[in-house]
DNA sequence: GATGAATGAGGATTCATTCAT
DNA sequence: TATGAATGAATCCTCATTCAT
C-alpha cells in the first residue's frame, strides 16, 4: 500500500525539522562557514543529496533556520503590547523572555553572530530589528506608564542591559547563571525607572 | 651587499602591520572562515606566498591580530586601578573607554565574534576575560567607594549595560551614535549607584 | 530510487582498484613525493576531488597501496613452512618467488624505495620484515634439513643473494633477465648448501 | 686589507663543501623531493640566496652531491685491476669496500634511491654502472684466476651477494653489523669460487 | 660574497552542488 | 524519496627561484 499524501507530507516535515535542528546546532557552535553540508547530512543521518532535496542551497538552509528562530522569538509578543503593564506583568514578561533565550540558546548564538557579520544572511539586521520591536515596545509602554521623563533614553539604557545580559547568557552560559542575569535585569529596570521620575 | 639588519627589520615591521591591518579588516567584516589568505594578500598588495613569509599560518595571523587587539585594550589600565575615583574621573574613564572602542571597532567586532565561536582561537575566552579585568575592577572600585550595598550585583548590572552598549557600538555603529551610548552608560551607572545606597 | 548497496559497492571497489593501480605505477616510477594527486587523478580519469572520496589523504592511499602489496607477498607462504623441503620443492619455491616479484615489479620497487626512506610510511620496516619472515623461514628449514653447520650464517648469505637479485630484477629489469637471476640464485643456494656440510 | 684571491677561493670551496654535506644528509634521509632548499640553507647556516650563488639549481646541487659520491667510490680502484689477486688481497679489497660503504652510508643510500628512481638525476644509471665497473672487474679477475668455469655466472652470483649486503648495510645499519656482512660476503665468495672448479 | 623579501606555480585538501540511478 | 559518486572551484600552504640591496 503506498503511503498517503499526508504521510509523505509528515515525513517531509519531520525530516526538514531534523535537518534544520542539526544545522542550527552546527551553525551556532562552529559558525556558518565552518559547517559543511556533509557534516550536517551525516549528523542528521541522511545523504548529502537528500539535504538538497529539502533545501535548495546551504544559504536557503540558513535562511530556514533563521526564520524558524524568528518564529520562536515572535512568541514574545503573546502579551498584548498596547496595554499598560503592572509591575508583576513586567516581571513575568522579562522572566519569560530570559527563559525563551535560555531554552533556545542556539538560535540566539546564531543571531548574535549574524548581527556581527550581517552579509551572511540577506536583510538580517532589518529582520532582527523588526522581530525585536515588540519586545522593546513593551518595555517602552512600561516605562512610559511609570512616568519616565525621558522614555527613549531610559529605553536605550534598559536595552543595553538586556542585550548585554542576553549576550552573557548566550556566550558564557556556564559563567553567569540565567537566574542571576534575569534578577539583575529586573532589578536594573526598576532602578532605572525609579530614578527617572522627577 | 645585503641590506642591513635594520633595513630588513623595518621592511618586516611595516609589512606585518599592513597585512595585519588588512586581515583585521576582513576578519572583522566577513569573519575568519569567510576570509581567505588570497583576499588578504590581494588587498594588502602582496603575493599569497609572501603572506606566509610573515605569518606561519592563517591561525597565526589571527593570533597576531588578536594580540594586537589585546595590547590596545590593555591601555585601558592607564588609570591606576587601586585608588578611589571621584565622579569626574569615572566619567572620563568611561568616555575614554568608549572612544577606545569606537576608534578600534574592528578589533571589538572580531572579539565579539570570537566570544561566540571561541574554538576558532585558542584560549580566547580566558585571554579576553583577563584583558577586561582591569576595566571591571575600576568600576568595582568606584561603586564600592560610593557605598554600594551589593557591589557584585551592581557591577553585573553595569557590566551588562556596558557590554550591551559596546555591542551596539560595534554591530550597529550607524544606528546608535557613540556619544549617545556613552552618555547613557554614564547616566545608567550613576543611577545604579544612586539606587544602591541604603 | 538510489542504486542498491551492491551497485555502490561494485563501483567503489572497481574505482578504488583503478586509483590504487595508477598510484602504484606512479609511486613506484617517480616516488611518493614526486607524485601528485592531480597526476594520479588525471591518469585514472577522474577528478582530483573524487580521489579524496576514495582515500582520505595521499598517505592513506599510499598505505592502501602498500597493504595491497603485502597481501600479494603474503601468498609466498602458500607452501607450508614447517615441513622439510626436497630439492625440487626448494627450486619451485624460489622460481615462484621470482615470478611473483617479476609480475609485481612495481610493488617491489616501491618497497625497496620505502626501505631506504622508511619515515614516508609508518611502521614500514617492521611490516616488511614480518611479511618477509615466512620466506626466510622456508630457506632456513631447507638449509637446516640439508645439514648446514651454520644455518644463521648461511641464511644471511642466501638472503643477501636473494635481496641483491630482487634489487636487480626491480631496478634494472631490462639488464638482468629474470630467468638468469632465478637460475643463479638457485645455483648459488645449492653451492652455499653444498659447502656447508662438514 | 681585502682578502686575497686565494682566500676567497678557500671560502668558496669550504662553503660548497658544507652545503653539499647538508644536502647529502637530507637527500639521503628524506629524499630529494622531500628536501627543500630552505631546509638545506637553514641547516647549513646560510641564506637561501647564497645557496643559489653556489649551485645554479636544486638539480645542480644534487648532481654535485652525486659526483662527489662517485669520486669517493672511484678510490675503490686504487688496487690495480689488471693483476691477479691472491686470497689475502681479495679479502683486503672486500674489507676496504665495506669500510668505504660504511663510512659513507649517506651517499650509498642516495645512490640506491636513485637506482630505483633514475629520472631524478640524468644518466644516473649509466654513471653508476661505470663507477662500479672497476669493482666488478677485480672480482672477475679474481674468480678467473681461481679457475672459475663460468666466470660471468659466478660474478653475477657474487654481485647479487655484494649488492644485497650493501643494501642491508645502508637500509638497516642497526640490524646487520657491517663486520658480519663483510665476513659473510668474503665467506660466500670463497664458497662460490670453490664450487666453481671442476 | 651575502641577505632575505618577493613571486607564482603547484600541491594537498575541502566543499557546495549536480546527477544518474 | 533517497543515495552517494562525481565535479571543479576554491582553500591553505610550500617551494624553487629571482632580485634589489
Amino acid at each position: 500500500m503506498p503511503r498517503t499524501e499526508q504521510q509523505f507530507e509528515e515525513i517531509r516535515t519531520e525530516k526538514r525539522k531534523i535537518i534544520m535542528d542539526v544545522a542550527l546546532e552546527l551553525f551556532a557552535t562552529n559558525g556558518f562557514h565552518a559547517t559543511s553540508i556533509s557534516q550536517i547530512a551525516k549528523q542528521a543521518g541522511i545523504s548529502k543529496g537528500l539535504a538538497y532535496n529539502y533545501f535548495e542551497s546551504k544559504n536557503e538552509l540558513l535562511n530556514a533556520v533563521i526564520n524558524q528562530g524568528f518564529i520562536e522569538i515572535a512568541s514574545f509578543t503573546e502579551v498584548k503590547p498596547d496595554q499598560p503593564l503592572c509591575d508583576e506583568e513586567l516581571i513575568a514578561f522579562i522572566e519569560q523572555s530570559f527563559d525563551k533565550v535560555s531554552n533556545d540558546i542556539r538560535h540566539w548564538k546564531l543571531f548574535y553572530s549574524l548581527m556581527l557579520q550581517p552579509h551572511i544572511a540577506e536583510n538580517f539586521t532589518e529582520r532582527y530589528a523588526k522581530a525585536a520591536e515588540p519586545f522593546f515596545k513593551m518595555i517602552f509602554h512600561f516605562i512610559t506608564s511609570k512616568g519616565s521623563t525621558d522614555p527613549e533614553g531610559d529605553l536605550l539604557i534598559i536595552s543595553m542591559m538586556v542585550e548585554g545580559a542576553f549576550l552573557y547568557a548566550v556566550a558564557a552560559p556556564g559563567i553567569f547563571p540565567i537566574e542571576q542575569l534575569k534578577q539583575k535585569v529586573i532589578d536594573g529596570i526598576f532602578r532605572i525607572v525609579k530614578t527617572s521620575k522627577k
Side-chain angles (χ1 to χ4, degrees), chain A:
Chain A
M1 217 183 333
R3 271 174 268 218
T4 64
E5 193 80 359
Q6 203 199 332
Q7 279 174 313
F8 271 125
E9 201 49 40
E10 264 169 42
I11 291 175
R12 273 197 84 78
T13 310
E14 199 53 41
K15 204 141 264 184
R16 264 184 82 91
K17 224 190 281 185
I18 294 172
I19 297 171
M20 284 170 60
D21 189 68
V22 171
L24 171 57
E25 178 71 30
L26 293 173
F27 288 163
T29 310
N30 302 328
F32 177 71
H33 290 293
T35 300
S36 73
I37 292 285
S38 295
Q39 257 174 82
I40 295 171
K42 184 178 288 174
Q43 197 155 322
I46 59 165
S47 71
K48 242 186 307 184
L50 191 56
Y52 279 88
N53 197 316
Y54 284 91
F55 299 93
E56 276 199 348
S57 70
K58 199 183 165 191
N59 270 289
E60 265 323 294
L61 173 52
L62 173 64
N63 272 329
V65 168
I66 292 172
N67 286 336
Q68 181 62 29
F70 282 137
I71 289 170
E72 264 147 58
I73 285 190
S75 52
F76 270 146
T77 9
E78 274 161 26
V79 187
K80 345 80 213 177
D82 293 327
Q83 288 176 20
L85 301 164
C86 66
D87 289 6
E88 285 69 29
E89 281 172 325
L90 187 271
I91 291 172
F93 174 67
I94 295 293
E95 290 190 329
Q96 275 169 36
S97 302
F98 270 86
D99 292 344
K100 284 262 167 60
V101 171
S102 84
N103 285 325
D104 194 15
I105 284 194
R106 300 175 312 170
H107 269 121
W108 284 89
K109 206 165 182 178
L110 179 60
F111 284 177
Y112 277 106
S113 288
L114 291 172
M115 269 185 253
L116 291 160
Q117 251 110 62
H119 7 290
I120 293 179
E122 199 129 7
N123 286 109
F124 178 76
T125 312
E126 292 81 352
R127 290 160 74 198
Y128 180 78
K130 212 175 130 197
E133 213 190 341
F135 178 89
F136 292 115
K137 247 184 189 153
M138 290 211 58
I139 308 281
F140 190 79
H141 269 286
F142 178 74
I143 57 186
T144 314
S145 74
K146 283 293 189 177
S148 167
T149 55
D150 173 17
E152 279 83 11
D154 290 354
L155 178 61
L156 180 52
I157 297 179
I158 293 170
S159 306
M160 298 182 316
M161 265 171 35
V162 170
E163 215 77 72
F166 280 12
L167 186 63
Y168 282 167
V170 151
I175 297 175
F176 300 101
I178 204 81
E179 283 308 313
Q180 193 186 2
L181 295 169
K182 193 192 284 184
Q183 292 319 318
K184 286 303 157 196
V185 164
I186 292 169
D187 186 18
I189 292 176
F190 281 105
R191 283 158 81 178
I192 293 302
V193 164
K194 196 193 306 176
T195 49
S196 184
K197 286 184 279 197
K198 181 60 225 300

